[in-house]
Amino acid sequence: MIRTLLERLTVFARRRYRWVFAGTFVLLALSGWLISRLKLDGDVLNLVPRKDPVIAAYLDTLQEFGTFDYLMVVLEIPEGGAIDPYQAYADRLAARLGEIPELVEVEYRIEEPEKLLEQLFPQAVLFLDAAGREELARRLTPEGIRERVGELRRRLSTPQSLVLRDLARLDPLGIAEVLLGRLQSSRGGMSVDWMSGYFLSQDQRLLLLIAKPSRPPQDIDHGKRMLAAIRQAVTGANADFQTEMGPEPPPLPRVRLGGAHVSAVEDASAIQGDMTLNSSSSMLLVLILFLFAFRRLSTLGYAFVPLAVGMVLTFGFASLVFGTVSSATSGTAALLAGVGVDFVVVLYGRFVEEGRAGKDFDASLLSSMGTAGPAVVAGAFTTAATFYAFTFTDFRGLRQMGVLTGTGILFCLVAVVLLLPAMLAWSEEHHRRRESRPRLYLHSFGGDWVAKVSYRHPVPVLVATAALTVVLGFYALRLPFEDSWKSMRPAGSEGGAVEKLVAERFGSDFDFMMLILRGEKVGPLLDRTEEVVLEAQSLVRDGVIKGISSVTSVIPSPRRQGEALAWLAERRAQGDLDPARVRGDLEAALTAEGFRATAFAKGLSLLERALSPTEPMGVEDLPTEGQAHRLLDRVLHPHGQGWQSVIYLYPPAGEWNREAPPQALALAEKLGPDTVLTGANVINKYMRERVRRDAWIALALGTGLVLLILIYDFRRVVPAIATLVPLALGMVWMLGSMTLLGLPMNFMNIFVTTMIVGLGSDYGIHMVHRYLEKEQERPEKGIAETSNAILIAALTTVVGFGSLATSSFPGMRSTGYVASIGAMTTVVTAMTVLPALIGLRHRRRAKP
């Protein structure tokens, strides 16, 4: 049936080639319009299964609490330079950034400690635990007050006195140190020069501004506008700095940008460049190889036109169905170039063979499509089936690539089946008018010699194959797996470099873990949060994590507040913490040390208020703006009909990136099912398990589909299984070669194993089809001729996939390497093992 259909299509394309060309032009125009609407998505997070409960919990928490949508603006302060001018520069730059409509807010200062103290000092005692309260009582005895005021006098005589003076006026006894320490820990685990009032690294060489964009990183157009506006703001701040600093201004700081938005824009640009470069380079390399094989310049059109049409139709289909393409999909063009040209090579190669055997044009064309065509169709469907096997996975990027590549292969098949006969017909009429005949040639590349040797010497070939398979199988079992999603992103990107720099200089790599707690009411949730924080402190003491931050750093739990209020009431009644007595003793001590007590009037009033609360504070009592509000926003949110609290656990920089510490996992399990531990390291381990599982399922599904198609194609089981023997050996050779070449498996190239099932089975299909065609004759000649065609087809696949080596994405580069290796190992086994098995079979038949 397939043969008859192909012959009818061939006759139609032969006689109505102008109609074929016209219909192709209309489809190309429509696809071109659709492609113009195609968008690029550079966010790696969009490649993961967002509907998975574990991953959804992670991404939803990040998005709800806004912990991965920040833009980092870093000022690198020149060595030896004074800090003050660059703090002024940060003020000017922040003001300009605040005018950019694409930015919601800009945070760069540890909001004036004076302002924080004025807002929160009246509740400072409510934060104290039992030990802290007793220490406070000791400080507020007459002796304690005199001791602290004496210490204040000594501190104000140091070089840092200018920074301390304003704080001392508000808190001469240093009571708020615990409060400020809690707020500092809430700033993402960053280690900053707290006394500077800025997000300044401890070595005072890096000043950080954190901006909140109005749109997520996936909105690439928004990201481009935002970054352009930021660079313009930097230019303006530079001009202001040089003007205001006089005739000899200090050197300008180096301003660098990092974060998810910068990475998304960089990746989108890289994807666009990769698509262009991969498409053009793969097409160019394939055409060069095609020209070398057939030695006719006109044959380039036979390869180029159907492939180009198939690619354009595929990306038009992508625009129509998906609307966007990801970094994983950017390699589709190279895949199609490597796979689709196989159809042309086999069909045109058979056409050349028939012509060189003396048949006329029409007979050669019908014979090539009628005999080689069914094998091409079977190979196309087996290859497409393995790509369609990706559709079961929840990984969006791989699923999209599977659908597009599988569909693209079928588009290329249809384009070849219709356009190749049409172009050959046009060429034939052209040569008839010129009364000339084209010279037909097919370079063997040694494929026929390899097949003949294998056919004539089957035993040594099979023994050598078995030995090599054992050796490479040993190495295949030792193939490592690269499980970091960060390794999938382009190396050397500015956004990634800035993130790394901030992690190193501020002591945090932002790979925090999150314990998620939920409750119907705020009060019980705060109590629960404090209980969990106290339990998690054991991880800090053991060195498993570096620090903890939670909502209790901003607002005490009701239980702690109740204990503090009861304690204050009792001590006030006893007179120990009578606000009037404490104020009087403090004024006397200040006067005795030579201070003017009136200079501390505001601080004295704040202290009286701190000792006087009778009611607990609530979320509604916190400021509705400023740093305290922003800190609260990171740790407490409404959630459905209740509330959600997040406890951040910060591992030491560079540690526990691949998986969560067992102690943290044990803590989450101990806390019960209503507590969820998530984070990049938790997701990394989970993703490794998911990817490996999906890869095995895709491999099994793809192999099953290929076997069913082969059984349908051959109508027998034995030829179908024989077709897969060289494929199985080639897969072992591929995996062993990867180990020897130092190419680990990763989240992308692990699925190449499924691709190779489709690609590699094609070579066996052509060999077995040709053998069955010549089964009653001596098959050596037919096998040798087919070996030439499949070797050229494999080489075109190699150069097509090889173009991925230029990709900016390491995952795509490794995909190109592995697919090229797999194409060569499977074609070599097809050219050796199958002829050797066929040779053995015919020897046995020949024996009496």
Side-chain angles (χ1 to χ4, degrees):
M1 182 179 68
I2 293 177
R3 177 172 181 170
T4 302
L5 176 62
L6 289 173
E7 288 175 341
R8 289 179 178 177
L9 290 174
T10 301
V11 172
F12 171 78
R14 165 73 175 93
R15 296 176 179 176
R16 308 291 185 185
Y17 62 84
R18 291 183 179 84
W19 287 20
V20 173
F21 294 154
T24 300
F25 178 80
V26 172
L27 289 175
L28 288 177
L30 177 60
S31 297
W33 176 76
L34 289 171
I35 291 173
S36 67
R37 304 168 63 87
L38 188 63
K39 296 180 180 179
L40 302 176
D41 183 2
D43 189 0
V44 177
L45 288 175
N46 282 338
L47 302 180
V48 303
R50 286 179 172 266
K51 293 184 179 180
D52 183 281
V54 176
I55 297 172
Y58 173 65
L59 296 180
D60 291 347
T61 302
L62 289 179
Q63 186 171 6
E64 183 172 352
F65 288 91
T67 52
F68 74 157
D69 283 349
Y70 289 103
L71 178 79
M72 292 178 284
V73 182
V74 172
L75 310 185
E76 291 187 349
I77 300 172
E79 289 293 335
I83 303 301
D84 293 348
Y86 299 102
Q87 291 176 330
Y89 180 97
D91 293 334
R92 293 176 180 83
L93 179 57
R96 287 181 174 271
L97 294 178
E99 297 173 357
I100 297 175
E102 287 80 12
L103 296 177
V104 175
E105 62 183 16
V106 179
E107 187 178 3
Y108 69 106
R109 300 197 65 173
I110 308 168
E111 191 168 309
E112 295 87 346
E114 301 86 353
K115 186 175 181 180
L116 275 176
L117 286 179
E118 288 184 42
Q119 292 176 339
L120 299 178
F121 191 88
Q123 290 84 29
V125 179
L126 303 182
F127 283 90
L128 300 178
D129 57 15
R133 292 193 292 269
E134 292 306 318
E135 171 62 19
L136 174 65
R138 192 196 68 78
R139 289 192 184 192
L140 295 183
T141 61
E143 297 79 9
I145 290 174
R146 287 193 295 270
E147 178 184 337
R148 294 296 299 178
V149 172
E151 176 65 22
L152 177 63
R153 165 58 69 188
R154 289 188 291 274
R155 293 175 66 187
L156 290 179
S157 64
T158 65
Q160 292 82 18
S161 61
L162 291 178
V163 178
L164 295 172
R165 187 168 298 162
D166 291 335
L167 283 175
R169 289 195 181 102
L170 294 176
D171 183 25
L173 298 182
I175 294 174
E177 290 175 358
V178 62
L179 176 62
L180 295 179
R182 282 173 170 268
L183 294 176
Q184 181 184 17
S185 71
S186 298
R187 183 60 269 173
M190 292 193 305
S191 176
V192 299
D193 184 349
W194 177 251
M195 300 307 298
S196 71
Y198 291 79
F199 293 163
L200 183 68
S201 60
Q202 293 288 353
D203 62 3
Q204 298 190 334
R205 295 298 97 191
L206 216 65
L207 203 157
L208 177 64
L209 294 85
I210 303 176
K212 173 79 171 177
S214 59
R215 297 285 299 164
Q218 295 89 338
D219 192 334
I220 302 301
D221 292 337
H222 169 273
K224 290 179 178 178
R225 291 194 307 271
M226 178 185 67
L227 295 181
I230 291 174
R231 294 186 178 100
Q232 186 176 356
V234 170
T235 301
N238 288 345
D240 293 343
F241 183 77
Q242 292 178 319
T243 300
E244 296 175 10
M245 290 297 165
E248 295 183 4
L252 288 169
R254 182 185 179 189
V255 181
R256 303 175 66 182
L257 306 179
H261 291 77
V262 178
S263 298
V265 171
E266 289 179 336
D267 289 356
S269 177
I271 292 172
Q272 192 169 18
D274 283 356
M275 290 180 66
T276 302
L277 181 60
N278 291 341
S279 301
S280 57
S281 61
S282 60
M283 184 67 75
L284 177 63
L285 292 172
V286 165
L287 292 178
I288 291 174
L289 182 61
F290 203 85
L291 177 62
F292 183 77
F294 293 101
R295 302 296 174 88
R296 284 184 60 210
L297 191 62
S298 61
T299 59
L300 295 182
Y302 303 150
F304 175 78
V305 173
L307 285 183
V309 170
M311 287 185 186
V312 172
L313 293 179
T314 300
F315 283 101
F317 173 81
S319 177
L320 183 65
V321 175
F322 297 110
T324 61
V325 291
S326 65
S327 58
T329 313
S330 65
T332 298
L335 297 176
L336 294 179
V339 176
V341 75
D342 292 2
F343 309 150
V344 181
V345 169
V346 173
L347 291 175
Y348 184 68
R350 188 61 179 271
F351 172 78
V352 170
E353 289 178 15
E354 299 295 337
R356 294 175 68 184
K359 293 184 179 180
D360 63 19
F361 174 83
D362 288 315
S364 299
L365 187 59
L366 279 175
S367 179
S368 65
M369 296 299 292
T371 55
V376 168
V377 172
F381 274 91
T382 56
T383 305
T386 56
F387 282 100
Y388 283 134
F390 295 159
T391 58
F392 88 93
T393 182
D394 291 330
F395 289 86
R396 177 176 173 269
L398 291 171
R399 186 171 65 246
Q400 189 183 84
M401 185 183 69
V403 171
L404 289 186
T405 307
T407 304
I409 288 169
L410 299 182
F411 279 144
C412 288
L413 173 66
V414 173
V416 169
V417 167
L418 289 175
L419 285 173
L420 182 60
M423 289 188 293
L424 289 172
W426 176 87
S427 176
E428 176 67 11
E429 287 195 9
H430 174 72
H431 284 286
R432 280 180 180 174
R433 288 195 295 268
R434 295 180 56 183
E435 298 182 354
S436 63
R437 294 283 298 173
R439 183 171 176 267
L440 302 177
Y441 180 85
L442 176 61
H443 197 291
S444 68
F445 289 96
D448 53 351
W449 177 82
V450 171
K452 288 177 181 178
V453 170
S454 300
Y455 179 84
R456 295 169 184 172
H457 307 282
V459 175
V461 169
L462 293 176
V463 170
T465 299
L468 185 58
T469 302
V470 170
V471 173
L472 291 177
F474 171 80
Y475 285 103
L477 295 175
R478 285 155 177 76
L479 183 63
F481 189 91
E482 173 57 62
D483 52 25
S484 173
W485 278 102
K486 289 186 176 181
S487 67
M488 306 291 287
R489 295 192 60 251
S493 66
E494 177 66 6
V498 170
E499 291 178 24
K500 182 178 180 181
L501 177 65
V502 170
E504 292 174 351
R505 304 292 277 276
F506 287 91
S508 173
D509 57 10
F510 296 94
D511 282 337
F512 47 78
M513 294 172 287
M514 295 172 287
L515 276 171
I516 306 169
L517 309 177
R518 295 189 177 101
E520 294 182 2
K521 296 183 179 180
V522 173
L525 181 60
L526 292 178
D527 285 334
R528 173 68 169 156
T529 300
E530 185 169 60
E531 292 173 359
V532 175
V533 168
L534 291 175
E535 291 200 50
Q537 289 294 342
S538 62
L539 303 184
V540 179
R541 291 191 294 270
D542 295 339
V544 176
I545 59 176
K546 178 182 177 183
I548 302 171
S549 68
S550 72
V551 64
T552 56
S553 300
V554 184
I555 179 171
S557 68
R559 183 181 299 113
R560 174 167 294 192
Q561 292 191 60
E563 293 172 354
L565 288 170
W567 178 82
L568 274 173
E570 180 182 353
R571 289 304 185 96
R572 282 196 301 265
Q574 295 174 357
D576 296 344
L577 297 182
D578 177 65
R581 193 276 302 170
V582 171
R583 178 167 185 157
D585 288 348
L586 180 54
E587 288 177 341
L590 290 170
T591 302
E593 288 290 342
F595 293 109
R596 287 186 303 107
T598 54
F600 296 85
K602 184 177 287 187
L604 292 170
S605 297
L606 288 175
L607 179 58
E608 283 190 287
R609 291 174 59 192
L611 298 176
S612 304
T614 57
E615 297 291 335
M617 66 180 293
V619 173
E620 64 280 359
D621 296 319
L622 287 173
T624 56
E625 59 182 15
Q627 186 173 354
H629 173 73
R630 290 192 294 269
L631 294 178
L632 181 66
D633 196 54
R634 292 187 68 247
V635 290
L636 185 68
H637 266 207
H639 182 79
Q641 300 299 317
W643 292 81
Q644 179 171 258
S645 167
V646 172
I647 302 172
Y648 294 91
L649 308 178
Y650 300 97
E655 298 183 20
W656 299 111
N657 292 326
R658 296 179 67 251
E659 60 183 347
Q663 299 91 327
L665 293 171
L667 174 63
E669 184 176 357
K670 176 184 175 183
L671 295 173
D674 61 333
T675 303
V676 177
L677 176 69
T678 188
N681 50 4
V682 178
I683 297 301
N684 264 342
K685 182 177 181 181
Y686 182 75
M687 293 286 281
R688 290 198 301 271
E689 297 169 352
R690 281 292 306 271
V691 166
R692 286 170 176 166
R693 187 202 70 180
D694 285 5
W696 281 112
I697 294 176
L699 179 60
L701 181 59
T703 303
L705 290 173
V706 167
L707 184 59
L708 290 176
I709 292 173
L710 292 177
I711 292 174
Y712 175 80
D713 180 47
F714 291 114
R715 300 298 196 276
R716 286 184 287 172
V717 175
V718 173
I721 294 177
T723 299
L724 297 180
V725 169
L727 170 64
L729 297 176
M731 291 280 286
V732 174
W733 290 15
M734 178 190 76
L735 298 175
S737 299
M738 288 175 62
T739 302
L740 292 174
L741 294 173
L743 291 173
M745 277 289 184
N746 58 42
F747 290 127
M748 289 294 293
N749 66 32
I750 192 172
F751 287 88
V752 172
T753 55
T754 305
M755 297 184 208
I756 295 301
V757 170
L759 296 173
S761 63
D762 287 2
Y763 310 136
I765 289 172
H766 294 302
M767 293 291 285
V768 174
H769 262 275
R770 192 63 181 269
Y771 164 67
L772 294 177
E773 183 184 335
K774 300 288 186 180
E775 185 176 9
Q776 303 306 320
E777 308 170 14
R778 190 167 180 265
E780 182 180 356
K781 183 175 182 298
I783 291 174
E785 290 174 347
T786 302
S787 293
N788 291 337
I790 65 172
L791 180 56
I792 296 172
L795 291 174
T796 57
T797 300
V798 168
V799 297
F801 278 105
S803 69
L804 293 178
T806 62
S807 175
S808 305
F809 293 84
M812 291 307 299
R813 287 201 300 270
S814 67
T815 296
Y817 297 145
V818 174
S820 298
I821 294 171
M824 288 309 301
T825 57
T826 50
V827 78
V828 168
T829 52
M831 293 190 306
T832 55
V833 174
L834 281 178
L837 292 175
I838 292 171
L840 274 180
R841 187 166 189 264
H842 273 259
R843 282 189 179 187
R844 291 173 181 174
R845 281 187 172 184
K847 289 181 180 181

